[in-house]
Amino acid sequence: MKNEQIVLAQRPEGLPGDETFRYEDTEIKKPDNDEVLIESVYISVDPYMRGRMNDTKSYSKPFEIDEPLNGHVVGKIVESNHENFSEGDVVTGGLPWKKFNTVSSDAVNKVPSTEVPLHLYLSTLGMPGHTAYGGLLEIGKPEEGETVVVSAASGAVGSVVGQIAKIKGAKVVGIAGGDEKVNYLTETLGFDEGIDYKKDNFSEKLAEAVPDGIDVYFENVGGPISDEVFNHLNTFARVPVCGAISSYNSKEDNGPRVQQKLIKSQALMQGFLVAQFQDNAKNASEQLAKWVQEGKIKSEVTIAEGFDQLPEAFRNLFTGDNFGKQVVKVSNSLD
Amino acid sequence: MKNEQIVLAQRPEGLPGDETFRYEDTEIKKPDNDEVLIESVYISVDPYMRGRMNDTKSYSKPFEIDEPLNGHVVGKIVESNHENFSEGDVVTGGLPWKKFNTVSSDAVNKVPSTEVPLHLYLSTLGMPGHTAYGGLLEIGKPEEGETVVVSAASGAVGSVVGQIAKIKGAKVVGIAGGDEKVNYLTETLGFDEGIDYKKDNFSEKLAEAVPDGIDVYFENVGGPISDEVFNHLNTFARVPVCGAISSYNSKEDNGPRVQQKLIKSQALMQGFLVAQFQDNAKNASEQLAKWVQEGKIKSEVTIAEGFDQLPEAFRNLFTGDNFGKQVVKVSNSLD
């Protein structure tokens, strides 16, 4: 039976171009004992994947040349050789960029409910939601009345960070690019302020938006935007460092050193990965699902249609052309 | 009765020159009720004072123009109008750069013992020792077998950091400038390795010294030395940020941004001031005194002689011409 995959053709320099990816026809492997055959329905593209395209030691091992890329997927069980799964079950897991994957049954989990839009398991109810929840609550620890600033604020992680911070009673300032995104922060998500980093007056607007300084800065972007934010840290500020997307495609990433600022404000910066919060993942899942159900956490998604749209959708993460969570729909099997 | 003081004549740019300071003759004020008259014996010069010479909001307020500078002093009570102090008592406190100070009795504390060299109350048993103790144990939290790196390692803070880390069973690598200081680290203080940042092969030597990576980096210097250290952080590394002395006299302080490195290693950087550990100060004092008594913490001091040597002694902190703790002896009254 016919299958398709996208492999890493060569390691990119800067923004991954078309030469980075290669489409291939391949076979569907018949599942062995304890294996399941899954049809990919929604495939997630996430900024951290850019790091895995480099051949450098990091927290997750590099993608291999000539092997399929790999990311979070919502899929449908087509055939199951394990008692825990039946044909038609909806599952999530980290899977190769293939239309069909045959994997060990422990590589995926059934979704807790199919009453929500299924792509939410790639955003608010998936890895980005857990990233926001753990990073903000376990490292940022916002208190009522404090000022929380989040960058890439309309994105999959940032939008959840800001809404949880509002639930916790903080004043929330979001940084995003362009009028549409900035308006979305205040009008739809309920942030107190939205600031456009693309405008010349970014620095002044930021200063105006945080008259009492910044207690928590949830770092998603790095680069010059964050350099500016660091000038406003309050005493004992906390900076969960989730991402530095503005620098992922750069070879040079120089800016003001942070040491003197951290001393002056006795501030904490902590890099983290969602995996470190796994002991609390069940609580986080339940709480996030409850907030979604109650309408307290809203989310936006950009859905590209078609397996061949994966590379372009991935690039959009860095050019800012997506809105909210970017996913690719590769099958209509769950419509 | 004749008194002398040194005031801030103008705010320095870069390394403070002679024009920064002005000597003045002044009077000795007769102590009122509850006041004490103190003769300065040892006056401390410390890197953090450079920040107070700038007119910028920081954790401690700027020194004022035409007013005496101010720092830690070991002194002798000359006259007391408070029952807690008697003539001849040895006290410490933060006091103006004057030969004699008349202050409220609660501005100073009696030293717990006069059986140790009194200048130790400005180093291991004073602010630098408490800085090392709190920063290393409450933020760095070294565990047995881990690798601890400390910069400015032969200095008042760094030397204590490294020795406490050894007591806790860590492997300790110190960074200092010049053969004499580097040899002192391994031969006198018992560090496992000493590395000379002034040598061309610093980067290679550092890599060789930390084959298992770095679990704790106690940051005293900032700048390019630390940029190099950050390349070796282990997963869940801790970086107590105590100082950035290499940058205190610079207007520009640019280098590689740390965000991506912190994410990759899920590392923590935390700026701190000794004041935040004050709840534990009594324990720290007792423990440090015990270690000094047992010979487990050794220390080196550079003593300049004469009140007029204060500016030059202060400058030596930045040029690296001092060895260990730099103090100025301004009186023989306690010999």
Side-chain angles (χ1 to χ4, degrees), chain B residues 99-133:
Chain B
K99 285 194 165 179
F100 293 89
N101 280 290
T102 306
V103 294
S104 165
S105 63
D106 56 16
V108 291
N109 291 297
K110 250 185 280 194
V111 301
S113 162
T114 55
E115 301 294 303
V116 296
L118 294 174
H119 56 73
L120 283 185
Y121 291 109
L122 301 179
S123 60
T124 308
L125 302 178
M127 185 274 284
H130 281 255
T131 301
Y133 186 96

Side-chain angles (χ1 to χ4, degrees), chain A residues 271-322:
Chain A
F272 71 95
L273 300 175
V274 64
Q276 77 194 59
F277 308 123
Q278 64 192 3
D279 289 349
N280 195 39
K282 194 163 172 295
N283 284 339
S285 285
E286 289 170 6
Q287 184 61 73
L288 287 164
K290 189 159 173 282
W291 283 331
V292 167
Q293 211 168 21
E294 294 170 349
K296 288 184 179 163
I297 296 187
K298 300 186 184 73
S299 57
E300 196 61 49
V301 64
T302 298
I303 303 178
E305 303 258 354
F307 189 71
D308 61 349
Q309 294 303 303
L310 276 162
E312 185 60 18
F314 179 70
R315 266 193 294 269
N316 285 348
L317 297 173
F318 302 97
T319 55
D321 288 345
N322 63 321

